[in-house]
Amino acid sequence: FLDKIADIPTHEAFNKALKSPQLRSSSISELIVDNLFCQLFRSLDVDVTNVISNRKSNGGAPGGVLNGANMDATTKAALENYKAFIREQDSKIKEYIDANQQLHAQYK
């Protein structure tokens, strides 16, 4: 899993989105990440990797860093901000997919 996370910054879509703040795609399947996600991922990459590796070394025991037991206020705020951003991106992607499906059905 950590290898997959390490591969994210090397993905073509990640680099493309990081370079351009405007979403540009010819199809909905190309919308993987956007510029803000890339910036947040870069800023939190080390923290995410540390959380996952710490959880893995603890045998996946609950009550660790992922639940906020060992986080300072800044890290908790950053994590909540990141979660809110991910929820917002999920809802936007769902809206885009729904709109795309409606347009596709309309022009068939």
Side-chain angles (χ1 to χ4, degrees), residues 9-80:
T10 61
H11 194 275
E12 179 183 342
F14 182 89
N15 291 319
K16 184 178 175 183
L18 191 60
K19 291 177 185 175
S20 174
Q22 294 294 329
L23 290 175
R24 292 185 189 127
S25 65
S26 58
S27 72
I28 193 77
S29 64
E30 292 178 9
L31 287 176
I32 298 174
V33 294
D34 69 345
N35 184 270
L36 185 56
F37 172 82
C38 295
Q39 291 173 356
L40 285 172
F41 183 84
R42 267 208 172 153
S43 67
L44 296 173
D45 183 28
V46 174
D47 295 332
V48 170
T49 305
N50 287 338
V51 166
I52 293 170
S53 62
N54 286 342
R55 185 166 174 107
K56 188 175 180 182
S57 67
N58 290 338
V65 178
L66 289 176
N67 290 333
N70 299 326
M71 288 188 197
D72 62 1
T74 306
T75 306
K76 283 182 183 179
L79 182 60
E80 289 304 316

